[in-house]
Amino acid sequence: MTAKPVDQSKRNFLKFAGGLTVIGGFLLIAGKSAHHGAVKQVTTAARALPKIFKRLPSLPPDPAAHIKGLSSLITPTDSFFQIDNTSSVPVIDSSTWSLKITGMVKNEITLTYQQLLARPLFELDNTLSCVSNSVGGPLVGNARWLGVRLDDLIREADPRTGADQVLALSGDGFSAGFPLSVLDGRDAMIAIGMNGAVLPPKHGFPARIIVPGLYGYVSATKWITQIELTTFAAKQGFWISRGWSTLAPVKMESRIDLPAVGSRIPPGKFTFAGVAWSPGDPTDGIALVEVQIDNGPWLAATLGPELSSTTWRQWWLDHEMFAGSHVVVVRATSLKGEVQSSVRQNVAPNGAQGWHSVSFRV
Ligand SMILES: Nc1nc2c(c(=O)[nH]1)N[C@H]1C(S)=C(S)[C@@H](COP(=O)(O)O)O[C@H]1N2
Ligand SMILES: [Mo]
């Protein structure tokens, strides 16, 4: 379910952006419509930002700039898909908000927003997908997230023997849990920023979890208030009792953006294009995308930049097209040599699978 974004002016809304005020190695400008008191408050918090700040290189040129209709390398925040159980976005005051790490831990931890911002922050390019995304569907997006390492925090909380689940809860009744063993060195984070700005309300302000490789429903709790170390035997995340799998690594998928479904294209050279992603094993990545036109041979597409092993890669292929009805199919192959499965599976219980195809006329 999606909800309308709420009035930004009531928020501690700031932009993290290049080129303006540099505070503690962190670049920061006040959002135009931000309430002055709120700006002051968050600015004070931002001053306490540590020097340890792992910034990613600036983004490479986006091939989508030259291929109209291809998904952009980074999904603009405004068009990033949104999935909520609740019909309205919670309004959270970051000055009274806190995050607790509780349950089967030796050291309970409570962090205020300021304390969270004072921890070492790092950037992560990661594609987030909803388990309800059907083959070729729109419920997937790529963003540059900013946050603190989740594994460090959990280590500080010191899980008790037997704890096997990290269950993250929010005030709206949502919860999502994943195996403690998923924190295997991958860049799981408590995110406070998205695409160069403070995390917007609809994507989880003040903080949410991002775990590379997992579908959102088992990992990406927005408006997070508590992280509970527990067992799968004792507790289940919101969607688990509703028929969805306990374990949910993202399946390898590829999507055709061009041509659009049911479209008509002129004869001559046409640029087929789309995106492919395979974040389920963060030590793997997309190695090859192939396109098949009208049951012809599989043709290797050109691949766009790889921001990280858990982001999507754009692909495109030029081909001469003649008048008539056509069908194009796409499939991806990972670096470890796994070929995307053609066997169709529905989104339930653990994600859609199969090759995307598009029928079109020239
Ligand atoms: N609090 C809360 N967090 C949530 C959800 C929710 O309903 N409530 N939906 C989850 C699901 S199913 C997905 S796919 C992602 C979507 O994140 P987005 O809305 O930022 O794209 O958020 C996850 N986090
Ligand atoms: Mo989802």
Side-chain angles (χ1 to χ4, degrees), residues 186 212-214 248-252 277-284 309-310:
R186 71 182 70 190
L214 300 186
V250 178
K251 293 179 184 173
M252 191 187 326
W277 60 96
S278 182
D281 174 358
T283 65
D284 206 352
S309 65
T310 63

Side-chain angles (χ1 to χ4, degrees), residues 33-361:
S33 62
H35 180 258
H36 276 266
V39 170
K40 223 170 151 189
Q41 191 177 45
V42 179
T43 305
T44 309
R47 279 217 178 87
L49 287 172
K51 293 188 184 76
I52 317 153
F53 175 53
K54 204 183 114 204
R55 228 178 210 296
L56 290 173
S58 54
L59 293 162
D62 186 348
H66 306 287
I67 305 174
K68 197 172 169 276
L70 168 62
S71 299
S72 51
L73 187 54
I74 293 284
T75 311
T77 304
D78 286 346
S79 48
F80 203 94
F81 78 98
Q82 183 189 356
I83 303 287
D84 305 330
N85 296 338
T86 46
S87 54
S88 65
V89 170
V91 177
I92 295 171
D93 179 355
S94 63
S95 67
T96 54
W97 173 89
S98 70
L99 169 63
K100 286 185 175 56
I101 304 180
T102 61
M104 296 172 69
V105 294
K106 292 177 194 140
N107 309 315
E108 280 213 353
I109 294 177
T110 303
L111 288 167
T112 64
Y113 188 57
Q114 290 201 355
Q115 288 167 331
L116 190 63
L117 294 186
R119 293 182 66 91
L121 295 164
F122 73 105
E123 287 178 317
L124 166 72
D125 289 335
N126 185 63
T127 294
L128 176 64
S129 172
C130 181
V131 71
S132 298
N133 192 38
S134 52
V135 171
L139 303 181
V140 55
N142 192 38
R144 178 162 282 190
W145 309 94
L146 176 70
V148 310
R149 287 200 73 88
L150 184 59
D151 51 8
D152 284 352
L153 271 171
I154 301 291
R155 208 171 293 124
E156 288 172 34
D158 201 357
R160 291 186 189 280
T161 311
D164 62 8
Q165 183 181 205
V166 180
L167 186 69
L169 304 96
S170 59
D172 63 335
F174 181 84
S175 58
F178 56 88
L180 181 55
S181 61
V182 159
L183 299 179
D184 54 4
R186 71 182 70 190
D187 289 336
M189 64 158 58
I190 297 175
I192 50 103
M194 179 182 187
N195 292 340
V198 166
L199 196 62
K202 63 179 180 171
H203 295 296
F205 179 87
R208 66 151 342 144
I209 290 192
I210 295 291
V211 181
L214 300 186
Y215 286 117
Y217 83 101
V218 290
S219 65
T221 303
K222 302 188 277 189
W223 315 294
I224 187 173
T225 54
Q226 192 187 336
I227 297 173
E228 186 180 340
L229 271 289
T230 180
T231 63
F232 282 103
K235 291 197 173 171
Q236 297 184 318
F238 182 86
W239 285 109
I240 309 309
S241 60
R242 293 163 174 85
W244 298 81
S245 293
T246 306
L247 304 179
V250 178
K251 293 179 184 173
M252 191 187 326
E253 269 301 331
S254 51
R255 182 177 79 191
I256 299 161
D257 291 337
L258 297 171
V261 180
S263 65
R264 256 174 186 276
I265 61 169
K269 191 193 88 171
F270 182 77
T271 305
F272 294 88
V275 283
W277 60 96
S278 182
D281 174 358
T283 65
D284 206 352
I286 293 290
L288 175 69
V289 172
E290 294 168 293
V291 174
Q292 187 189 47
I293 302 161
D294 301 332
N295 286 309
W298 285 98
L299 307 169
T302 305
L303 291 179
E306 184 185 49
L307 293 179
S308 81
S309 65
T310 63
T311 55
W312 66 25
R313 286 187 82 170
Q314 297 148 307
W315 61 265
W316 60 93
L317 176 93
D318 290 341
H319 203 264
E320 203 68 35
M321 294 306 300
F322 303 96
S325 297
H326 302 278
V327 58
V328 58
V329 186
V330 67
R331 73 175 182 199
T333 301
S334 80
L335 289 164
K336 289 181 179 168
E338 188 196 338
V339 181
Q340 184 190 330
S341 174
S342 65
V343 180
R344 279 268 175 173
Q345 278 174 15
N346 287 334
V347 295
N350 65 356
Q353 181 186 275
W355 294 346
H356 188 208
S357 69
V358 169
S359 301
F360 61 101
R361 288 187 65 79

